[in-house]
Amino acid sequence: MRPHTVFALILLAFFGVVIVISLGYDQRDKLFPLIIAIPTAFIAVVQIVEEVRARTKSQVVPDEKQVARQGVFRGYGAVLGWIAGLLVATYALGLLIGFPLFTFLYLKLHRVGWLLSITLALAIAGLVYGGFAIAFEMPLYKGLVFMLKS
Amino acid sequence: MFADIATGLLSTLEPMVLLYILGGVIFGLVLGVLPGLSGITVIVLLMPLCYNMTAESAIPLILAGYSVTYQGGSITAVLLNVPGVASNAATLLDGFPMTQQGKSGRALGITLTASPLGGILGVVILASVIPVIRPVVLAFTSPECLMLVFMGISLIAVLGRGSMRKALMAAGLGLLFSFVGFSSITGMPRYAFGVTYLWDGIRTVTLALGLFAVPTAVSLMTTGGTIAQVSGQVATAVPDIIEGIRDVFRHWWLFLRSSAIGCLIGAIPGVGGEAAVWLAYGHAKQTSKHPEKFGTGCVEGIVAPESANNAKEGGSLLPMLAFGIPGSLGVAILMGALLILGIEPGPLFLQESLDLTFAMIGVVVLANIIGAIITLPAAAKMARIAFAPGHILAPLILVLVSLGAYAIANDMMDVVATFIFGALGYSMEKFGYSRATFFIAYILGVLAERYFHLSLAAYGFMFLLRPIALTLFIITMLSLFSRPLGNVLRRIRSG
């Protein structure tokens, strides 16, 4: 199944869930959402039918395209990994360490020089501490590791 | 009324306000120079600050940043053949050939004069229309406002690029997203799926950051390399720049017409900035005595799109300020920021906050002037930013996005939610679902539901038969069904 169709199916499922959930709400709470959700779900069904019809017309996927797709997926996997890494680092070590650490590691592993990597990581730390903690008096998230320690 | 206008305009000259304008201008220019990072990114990245700032300081910062993005975008369009913002694309046609002829200074002089002056003229037109439009606005009650919301969303869906069906699905999704959280009608939580975090509804900033800033960072991470893929000439001489400034005044009539086109197109929801600049370019070519010179480094070919480009922003502010309907995506996000600050644009806004309206106009004018003063001498140096590698910018954007999301309520859940919306935004972009339509529908959803229930309470379902509401309803239906009906008729005729 094409990713386009999968995405349209996910949207249809969402519209379906909204319709089902709405039925249990108060009359005034469900009226407007249902006016929106029902026609949108219908449009989604039409879209999926069109997607499937277009798919059956062009069944064969050339080998080069398959290989290119695998490369693209690997790229997305790496991006997903970095974003997950950012979230984990921030969650575990807090904003003040997590953000600069992520910046430094990302830059260093993309072959950026030591000086620029360290400078930008320190600039991020400065922005978090100086700009947000001091200037805006924002309480910074300390991170799970430091919260458990204390 | 005149006292309000004077109060509003004078308030922009206070030292702190000027400082915020300067900050916004610098931020907007730098991001405008970077291809892929648009005025939308500027507002989205500045939006989290709204929670910690007053309206008096947040509005100048955000509006100034947004207003000058196009000036920054013109620099790379002229010097590197890379449009900083999509609507700078028309400037390439004659701007870059001029650079190739060694006249980069003159081309920059034209863009950096026409663009801010166009922006100023756009808001001047807006300001002059406001007194006229006020009585019209008063004729709009809840049924008319509801129909206007639907008309705005449907126009954006129909006139936008790509599949209309997908745009309508995006609009439906955006409206449904706006219903998450406590109902404004009964106060009961809706569509929270058992998640307490969602009881307060989906936060505008997390959604905007996720939809627009995260996909930008992801694109930079996957493509890598430098943003500008060309090596450009970045040398400019002061006499050339002055010659370019003179060019704009030599073609003052074209400048006025193009700015008016930009302002008018900008005021129509959904038509978008790109249409405005291409229309102005086409108009300049059609009315030129030497149309054959267009595309070879013609002065008029830069004056027209650049003046329209910034003037359209003044136009797109009009439907937002007067009716609460944003004319473009950038203005929709701006409206989101205003809502966070407790300011609700719409019919009442013009009545009660005329001073603030004119303060906003003053900010746009000042930002454009300051932007031009900064950019004219520094253009060549600024253009070098476009050579910054994507893998250096990507982590910085991701960190800024995370920091911005966290700053909303000091809650790590907002950071997680931002990346979930980022996945949605990236998928929508990848599969051709209009994020603009989605976000505008999300912004207008709460208002639409409120207008709907007010209309029902006041008139029952007969609210649809009120003359203005009915007219707007017919326009909405025509805009939605004209294309499919046309296709059916064509098929019938061809047998």
Side-chain angles (χ1 to χ4, degrees):
Chain A
M1 201 180 278
R2 287 172 73 209
H4 284 76
T5 319
V6 174
F7 188 68
L9 275 170
I10 293 170
L11 290 182
L12 177 64
F14 177 78
F15 299 137
V17 169
V18 167
I19 292 169
V20 172
I21 290 178
S22 301
L23 295 174
Y25 290 150
D26 176 275
Q27 180 68 24
R28 286 171 299 166
D29 276 346
K30 70 182 172 191
L31 185 58
F32 196 64
L34 281 176
I35 289 174
I36 304 298
I38 293 171
T40 316
F42 175 73
I43 297 170
V45 171
V46 177
Q47 179 64 31
I48 290 162
V49 171
E50 284 284 316
E51 296 266 358
V52 173
R53 277 170 62 186
R55 170 74 181 157
T56 45
K57 276 182 191 168
S58 56
Q59 280 285 355
V60 188
V61 182
D63 284 349
E64 307 91 73
K65 260 194 174 176
Q66 295 268 28
V67 173
R69 256 188 214 170
Q70 282 169 4
V72 169
F73 281 128
R74 262 200 299 277
Y76 289 143
V79 170
L80 210 64
W82 277 111
I83 291 175
L86 169 66
L87 287 173
V88 170
T90 317
Y91 191 71
L93 301 169
L95 305 186
L96 200 54
I97 296 178
F99 286 161
L101 183 68
F102 165 79
T103 310
F104 175 76
L105 286 177
Y106 188 92
L107 294 173
K108 208 60 220 121
L109 290 172
H110 282 82
R111 293 175 195 161
V112 177
W114 282 97
L115 185 65
L116 188 59
S117 303
I118 292 171
T119 309
L120 287 175
L122 286 176
I124 291 289
L127 177 75
V128 173
Y129 189 70
F132 284 78
I134 305 279
F136 285 124
E137 294 174 355
M138 193 173 83
L140 296 180
Y141 174 70
K142 286 175 185 162
L144 201 63
V145 171
F146 297 101
M147 284 198 289
L148 286 174
K149 247 185 167 181
S150 59
Chain B
M1 190 173 106
F2 289 106
D4 286 336
I5 294 172
T7 313
L9 291 175
L10 285 173
S11 69
T12 57
L13 297 174
E14 286 170 21
M16 276 314 285
V17 175
L18 282 173
L19 205 65
Y20 283 116
I21 294 175
L22 182 67
V25 165
I26 293 169
F27 192 68
L29 284 174
V30 170
L31 262 71
V33 167
L34 293 169
L37 305 186
S38 60
I40 289 144
T41 321
V42 172
I43 309 177
V44 162
L45 289 178
L46 289 174
M47 251 172 115
L49 302 178
C50 292
Y51 288 95
N52 295 307
M53 291 171 91
T54 59
E56 290 75 23
S57 33
I59 291 174
L61 183 75
I62 293 174
L63 200 56
Y66 179 66
S67 306
V68 297
T69 327
Y70 301 101
Q71 285 186 42
S74 320
I75 298 170
T76 47
V78 166
L79 294 179
L80 309 171
N81 205 24
V82 178
V85 184
S87 55
N88 288 124
T91 310
L92 301 177
L93 297 183
D94 286 280
F96 192 62
M98 234 179 186
T99 297
Q100 286 174 317
Q101 293 161 19
K103 298 177 191 166
S104 55
R106 188 174 173 186
L108 275 178
I110 299 169
T111 57
L112 297 177
T113 309
S115 183
L117 285 182
I120 293 167
L121 195 65
V123 286
V124 168
I125 295 172
L126 163 73
S128 55
V129 170
I130 283 173
V132 184
I133 210 157
R134 282 176 98 192
V136 180
V137 169
L138 285 178
F140 279 67
T141 55
S142 48
E144 286 79 23
C145 288
L146 174 69
M147 286 303 133
L148 208 56
V149 166
F150 277 127
M151 194 183 83
I153 295 172
S154 68
L155 280 178
I156 287 157
V158 172
L159 296 172
R161 279 181 294 179
S163 155
M164 189 176 99
R165 212 183 295 131
K166 285 182 178 176
L168 289 175
M169 282 167 71
L173 190 68
L175 284 168
L176 294 176
F177 264 50
S178 72
F179 303 144
V180 174
F182 287 110
S183 159
S184 58
I185 314 298
T186 61
M188 295 298 290
R190 292 184 298 180
Y191 312 109
F193 304 100
V195 181
T196 332
Y197 169 77
L198 291 174
W199 281 19
D200 279 340
I202 292 168
R203 294 188 212 274
T204 308
V205 179
T206 48
L207 190 62
L209 282 168
L211 278 179
F212 302 105
V214 173
T216 305
V218 171
S219 295
L220 286 172
M221 288 166 100
T222 48
T223 51
T226 57
I227 292 180
Q229 300 289 338
V230 290
S231 56
Q233 291 172 260
V234 286
T236 52
V238 175
D240 287 346
I241 292 175
I242 293 169
E243 187 60 21
I245 296 170
R246 282 190 187 141
D247 279 331
V248 179
F249 293 102
R250 274 187 211 117
H251 296 91
W252 64 273
W253 181 229
L254 175 67
F255 162 76
L256 288 179
R257 281 176 302 164
S258 304
S259 299
I261 289 173
C263 194
L264 184 74
I265 300 294
I268 305 170
V271 179
E274 287 162 62
V277 291
W278 289 109
L279 271 173
Y281 186 84
H283 169 75
K285 194 174 177 180
Q286 276 173 348
T287 53
S288 173
K289 286 174 189 161
H290 42 80
E292 73 285 350
K293 285 187 182 169
F294 275 71
T296 61
C298 179
V299 170
E300 290 126 290
I302 308 176
V303 172
E306 279 302 309
S307 34
N309 199 5
N310 232 357
K312 75 178 190 303
E313 293 310 315
S316 63
L317 283 174
L318 180 68
M320 178 192 78
L321 294 173
F323 302 106
I325 309 293
S328 65
L329 174 62
V331 176
I333 301 175
L334 188 65
M335 187 171 152
L338 292 178
L339 290 171
I340 291 168
L341 292 163
I343 299 162
E344 192 176 301
L348 275 178
F349 181 73
L350 273 191
Q351 292 300 309
E352 293 168 359
S353 311
L354 197 63
D355 55 339
L356 188 56
T357 307
F358 276 87
M360 287 167 76
I361 288 168
V363 168
V364 176
V365 171
L366 277 176
N368 276 295
I369 294 169
I370 295 170
I373 293 169
I374 292 175
T375 359
L376 278 168
K381 281 184 184 129
M382 286 178 74
R384 289 183 194 146
I385 300 171
F387 291 104
H391 62 260
I392 290 182
L393 290 171
L396 301 181
I397 294 173
L398 278 184
V399 167
L400 282 178
V401 164
S402 309
L403 198 54
Y406 177 80
I408 300 166
N410 306 332
D411 187 352
M412 279 302 287
M413 268 306 286
D414 284 324
V415 183
V416 177
T418 298
F419 284 104
I420 292 171
F421 296 138
L424 175 70
Y426 191 79
S427 307
M428 289 182 78
E429 189 190 20
K430 197 88 191 144
F431 302 129
Y433 291 83
S434 165
R435 289 176 298 167
T437 314
F438 170 82
F439 191 76
I440 289 171
Y442 160 80
I443 290 286
L444 296 177
V446 176
L447 293 174
E449 190 176 24
R450 196 195 306 158
Y451 290 140
F452 175 74
H453 283 284
L454 284 172
S455 306
L456 269 188
Y459 310 98
F461 278 101
M462 297 301 280
F463 75 80
L464 268 173
L465 298 177
R466 285 171 59 85
I468 300 175
L470 185 64
T471 312
L472 294 172
F473 181 72
I474 292 168
I475 294 171
T476 307
M477 288 298 125
L478 281 175
S479 71
L480 283 176
F481 294 108
S482 58
R483 213 198 297 176
L485 277 176
N487 289 342
V488 171
L489 284 174
R490 234 171 282 135
R491 271 185 216 160
I492 292 169
R493 270 186 212 150
S494 61

mmCIF file of all heavy atoms in Angstrom, chain A residues 116-142:
data_model
loop_
_atom_site.group_PDB
_atom_site.id
_atom_site.type_symbol
_atom_site.label_atom_id
_atom_site.label_comp_id
_atom_site.label_asym_id
_atom_site.label_seq_id
_atom_site.Cartn_x
_atom_site.Cartn_y
_atom_site.Cartn_z
ATOM 1 N N LEU A 116 33.876 25.250 16.261
ATOM 2 C CA LEU A 116 32.508 25.692 15.957
ATOM 3 C C LEU A 116 31.486 24.886 16.763
ATOM 4 O O LEU A 116 30.505 25.439 17.282
ATOM 5 C CB LEU A 116 32.230 25.548 14.452
ATOM 6 C CG LEU A 116 30.916 26.135 13.960
ATOM 7 C CD1 LEU A 116 30.828 27.623 14.260
ATOM 8 C CD2 LEU A 116 30.736 25.907 12.458
ATOM 9 N N SER A 117 31.745 23.566 16.889
ATOM 10 C CA SER A 117 30.815 22.714 17.637
ATOM 11 C C SER A 117 30.715 23.162 19.089
ATOM 12 O O SER A 117 29.618 23.300 19.648
ATOM 13 C CB SER A 117 31.253 21.245 17.598
ATOM 14 O OG SER A 117 31.366 20.822 16.274
ATOM 15 N N ILE A 118 31.887 23.401 19.685
ATOM 16 C CA ILE A 118 31.892 23.816 21.106
ATOM 17 C C ILE A 118 31.282 25.215 21.248
ATOM 18 O O ILE A 118 30.474 25.466 22.149
ATOM 19 C CB ILE A 118 33.331 23.770 21.688
ATOM 20 C CG1 ILE A 118 33.796 22.316 21.771
ATOM 21 C CG2 ILE A 118 33.401 24.419 23.065
ATOM 22 C CD1 ILE A 118 35.257 22.125 22.120
ATOM 23 N N THR A 119 31.634 26.119 20.322
ATOM 24 C CA THR A 119 31.116 27.494 20.401
ATOM 25 C C THR A 119 29.593 27.503 20.326
ATOM 26 O O THR A 119 28.920 28.174 21.125
ATOM 27 C CB THR A 119 31.697 28.357 19.248
ATOM 28 O OG1 THR A 119 33.103 28.204 19.247
ATOM 29 C CG2 THR A 119 31.336 29.823 19.404
ATOM 30 N N LEU A 120 29.043 26.761 19.345
ATOM 31 C CA LEU A 120 27.587 26.764 19.184
ATOM 32 C C LEU A 120 26.890 26.090 20.371
ATOM 33 O O LEU A 120 25.837 26.539 20.811
ATOM 34 C CB LEU A 120 27.184 26.095 17.866
ATOM 35 C CG LEU A 120 27.473 26.928 16.606
ATOM 36 C CD1 LEU A 120 27.166 26.136 15.340
ATOM 37 C CD2 LEU A 120 26.666 28.224 16.603
ATOM 38 N N ALA A 121 27.496 25.009 20.891
ATOM 39 C CA ALA A 121 26.916 24.340 22.060
ATOM 40 C C ALA A 121 26.908 25.284 23.260
ATOM 41 O O ALA A 121 25.914 25.365 24.003
ATOM 42 C CB ALA A 121 27.704 23.071 22.380
ATOM 43 N N LEU A 122 28.016 26.028 23.426
ATOM 44 C CA LEU A 122 28.083 26.988 24.536
ATOM 45 C C LEU A 122 27.089 28.138 24.326
ATOM 46 O O LEU A 122 26.482 28.627 25.284
ATOM 47 C CB LEU A 122 29.508 27.540 24.678
ATOM 48 C CG LEU A 122 30.538 26.577 25.289
ATOM 49 C CD1 LEU A 122 31.929 27.198 25.278
ATOM 50 C CD2 LEU A 122 30.154 26.182 26.724
ATOM 51 N N ALA A 123 26.918 28.536 23.055
ATOM 52 C CA ALA A 123 25.954 29.605 22.755
ATOM 53 C C ALA A 123 24.541 29.157 23.123
ATOM 54 O O ALA A 123 23.757 29.939 23.669
ATOM 55 C CB ALA A 123 26.017 29.959 21.272
ATOM 56 N N ILE A 124 24.235 27.898 22.847
ATOM 57 C CA ILE A 124 22.914 27.367 23.201
ATOM 58 C C ILE A 124 22.749 27.366 24.728
ATOM 59 O O ILE A 124 21.723 27.786 25.255
ATOM 60 C CB ILE A 124 22.728 25.932 22.634
ATOM 61 C CG1 ILE A 124 22.624 25.969 21.097
ATOM 62 C CG2 ILE A 124 21.524 25.229 23.258
ATOM 63 C CD1 ILE A 124 21.343 26.557 20.545
ATOM 64 N N ALA A 125 23.822 26.916 25.428
ATOM 65 C CA ALA A 125 23.770 26.903 26.897
ATOM 66 C C ALA A 125 23.557 28.328 27.419
ATOM 67 O O ALA A 125 22.768 28.559 28.347
ATOM 68 C CB ALA A 125 25.053 26.311 27.459
ATOM 69 N N GLY A 126 24.252 29.281 26.795
ATOM 70 C CA GLY A 126 24.118 30.687 27.187
ATOM 71 C C GLY A 126 22.703 31.199 26.959
ATOM 72 O O GLY A 126 22.146 31.911 27.794
ATOM 73 N N LEU A 127 22.119 30.800 25.818
ATOM 74 C CA LEU A 127 20.755 31.236 25.501
ATOM 75 C C LEU A 127 19.758 30.658 26.506
ATOM 76 O O LEU A 127 18.882 31.367 27.009
ATOM 77 C CB LEU A 127 20.381 30.780 24.081
ATOM 78 C CG LEU A 127 18.967 31.101 23.630
ATOM 79 C CD1 LEU A 127 18.832 32.583 23.306
ATOM 80 C CD2 LEU A 127 18.585 30.284 22.401
ATOM 81 N N VAL A 128 19.944 29.356 26.823
ATOM 82 C CA VAL A 128 19.024 28.699 27.762
ATOM 83 C C VAL A 128 19.134 29.352 29.142
ATOM 84 O O VAL A 128 18.129 29.723 29.750
ATOM 85 C CB VAL A 128 19.329 27.177 27.864
ATOM 86 C CG1 VAL A 128 18.496 26.523 28.956
ATOM 87 C CG2 VAL A 128 19.075 26.496 26.527
ATOM 88 N N TYR A 129 20.382 29.528 29.595
ATOM 89 C CA TYR A 129 20.558 30.044 30.947
ATOM 90 C C TYR A 129 20.335 31.561 31.021
ATOM 91 O O TYR A 129 19.519 32.037 31.817
ATOM 92 C CB TYR A 129 21.964 29.689 31.465
ATOM 93 C CG TYR A 129 22.133 30.007 32.929
ATOM 94 C CD1 TYR A 129 21.470 29.255 33.893
ATOM 95 C CD2 TYR A 129 22.917 31.080 33.346
ATOM 96 C CE1 TYR A 129 21.585 29.564 35.238
ATOM 97 C CE2 TYR A 129 23.050 31.390 34.686
ATOM 98 C CZ TYR A 129 22.376 30.634 35.634
ATOM 99 O OH TYR A 129 22.495 30.946 36.957
ATOM 100 N N GLY A 130 21.061 32.278 30.130
ATOM 101 C CA GLY A 130 20.983 33.743 30.177
ATOM 102 C C GLY A 130 19.644 34.267 29.682
ATOM 103 O O GLY A 130 19.007 35.092 30.334
ATOM 104 N N GLY A 131 19.236 33.764 28.535
ATOM 105 C CA GLY A 131 18.029 34.286 27.903
ATOM 106 C C GLY A 131 16.758 33.868 28.604
ATOM 107 O O GLY A 131 15.858 34.685 28.817
ATOM 108 N N PHE A 132 16.688 32.599 28.952
ATOM 109 C CA PHE A 132 15.421 32.099 29.506
ATOM 110 C C PHE A 132 15.416 32.050 31.040
ATOM 111 O O PHE A 132 14.497 32.563 31.663
ATOM 112 C CB PHE A 132 15.087 30.727 28.908
ATOM 113 C CG PHE A 132 14.563 30.844 27.499
ATOM 114 C CD1 PHE A 132 15.410 31.058 26.428
ATOM 115 C CD2 PHE A 132 13.203 30.769 27.236
ATOM 116 C CE1 PHE A 132 14.934 31.196 25.131
ATOM 117 C CE2 PHE A 132 12.706 30.907 25.942
ATOM 118 C CZ PHE A 132 13.576 31.119 24.885
ATOM 119 N N ALA A 133 16.453 31.416 31.638
ATOM 120 C CA ALA A 133 16.443 31.281 33.101
ATOM 121 C C ALA A 133 16.606 32.633 33.801
ATOM 122 O O ALA A 133 15.928 32.915 34.779
ATOM 123 C CB ALA A 133 17.548 30.328 33.545
ATOM 124 N N ILE A 134 17.524 33.473 33.278
ATOM 125 C CA ILE A 134 17.787 34.757 33.944
ATOM 126 C C ILE A 134 16.798 35.834 33.467
ATOM 127 O O ILE A 134 16.051 36.402 34.264
ATOM 128 C CB ILE A 134 19.254 35.231 33.696
ATOM 129 C CG1 ILE A 134 20.244 34.146 34.118
ATOM 130 C CG2 ILE A 134 19.514 36.576 34.355
ATOM 131 C CD1 ILE A 134 20.574 34.052 35.577
ATOM 132 N N ALA A 135 16.792 36.080 32.143
ATOM 133 C CA ALA A 135 15.987 37.197 31.632
ATOM 134 C C ALA A 135 14.481 36.964 31.831
ATOM 135 O O ALA A 135 13.769 37.853 32.262
ATOM 136 C CB ALA A 135 16.301 37.426 30.159
ATOM 137 N N PHE A 136 14.016 35.768 31.484
ATOM 138 C CA PHE A 136 12.576 35.497 31.604
ATOM 139 C C PHE A 136 12.198 34.830 32.931
ATOM 140 O O PHE A 136 11.032 34.499 33.150
ATOM 141 C CB PHE A 136 12.099 34.619 30.439
ATOM 142 C CG PHE A 136 11.971 35.365 29.143
ATOM 143 C CD1 PHE A 136 12.652 34.944 28.017
ATOM 144 C CD2 PHE A 136 11.174 36.489 29.050
ATOM 145 C CE1 PHE A 136 12.541 35.627 26.816
ATOM 146 C CE2 PHE A 136 11.056 37.176 27.858
ATOM 147 C CZ PHE A 136 11.742 36.750 26.739
ATOM 148 N N GLU A 137 13.201 34.579 33.773
ATOM 149 C CA GLU A 137 12.992 33.915 35.079
ATOM 150 C C GLU A 137 12.189 32.630 34.920
ATOM 151 O O GLU A 137 11.266 32.343 35.688
ATOM 152 C CB GLU A 137 12.287 34.875 36.043
ATOM 153 C CG GLU A 137 13.149 36.068 36.398
ATOM 154 C CD GLU A 137 12.416 37.103 37.224
ATOM 155 O OE1 GLU A 137 11.204 36.933 37.446
ATOM 156 O OE2 GLU A 137 13.050 38.064 37.655
ATOM 157 N N MET A 138 12.548 31.865 33.903
ATOM 158 C CA MET A 138 11.816 30.629 33.613
ATOM 159 C C MET A 138 12.441 29.478 34.404
ATOM 160 O O MET A 138 13.659 29.291 34.337
ATOM 161 C CB MET A 138 11.910 30.340 32.110
ATOM 162 C CG MET A 138 10.970 29.294 31.607
ATOM 163 S SD MET A 138 11.057 29.232 29.796
ATOM 164 C CE MET A 138 12.491 28.198 29.603
ATOM 165 N N PRO A 139 11.651 28.719 35.174
ATOM 166 C CA PRO A 139 12.248 27.574 35.877
ATOM 167 C C PRO A 139 12.633 26.488 34.867
ATOM 168 O O PRO A 139 11.777 25.988 34.140
ATOM 169 C CB PRO A 139 11.110 27.095 36.794
ATOM 170 C CG PRO A 139 9.860 27.661 36.233
ATOM 171 C CD PRO A 139 10.209 28.850 35.404
ATOM 172 N N LEU A 140 13.917 26.172 34.808
ATOM 173 C CA LEU A 140 14.376 25.197 33.817
ATOM 174 C C LEU A 140 14.132 23.772 34.303
ATOM 175 O O LEU A 140 14.325 23.477 35.482
ATOM 176 C CB LEU A 140 15.868 25.383 33.534
ATOM 177 C CG LEU A 140 16.294 26.701 32.891
ATOM 178 C CD1 LEU A 140 17.803 26.701 32.688
ATOM 179 C CD2 LEU A 140 15.588 26.925 31.567
ATOM 180 N N TYR A 141 13.721 22.900 33.389
ATOM 181 C CA TYR A 141 13.545 21.487 33.724
ATOM 182 C C TYR A 141 14.927 20.894 34.001
ATOM 183 O O TYR A 141 15.835 21.015 33.172
ATOM 184 C CB TYR A 141 12.850 20.776 32.553
ATOM 185 C CG TYR A 141 12.750 19.286 32.713
ATOM 186 C CD1 TYR A 141 11.911 18.719 33.663
ATOM 187 C CD2 TYR A 141 13.502 18.440 31.903
ATOM 188 C CE1 TYR A 141 11.840 17.351 33.805
ATOM 189 C CE2 TYR A 141 13.425 17.066 32.035
ATOM 190 C CZ TYR A 141 12.597 16.527 32.988
ATOM 191 O OH TYR A 141 12.528 15.165 33.131
ATOM 192 N N LYS A 142 15.075 20.255 35.199
ATOM 193 C CA LYS A 142 16.412 19.823 35.625
ATOM 194 C C LYS A 142 16.827 18.482 35.044
ATOM 195 O O LYS A 142 18.004 18.157 35.001
ATOM 196 C CB LYS A 142 16.471 19.749 37.154
ATOM 197 C CG LYS A 142 16.519 21.114 37.796
ATOM 198 C CD LYS A 142 16.451 20.983 39.296
ATOM 199 C CE LYS A 142 16.363 22.355 39.939
ATOM 200 N NZ LYS A 142 15.872 22.281 41.308
#
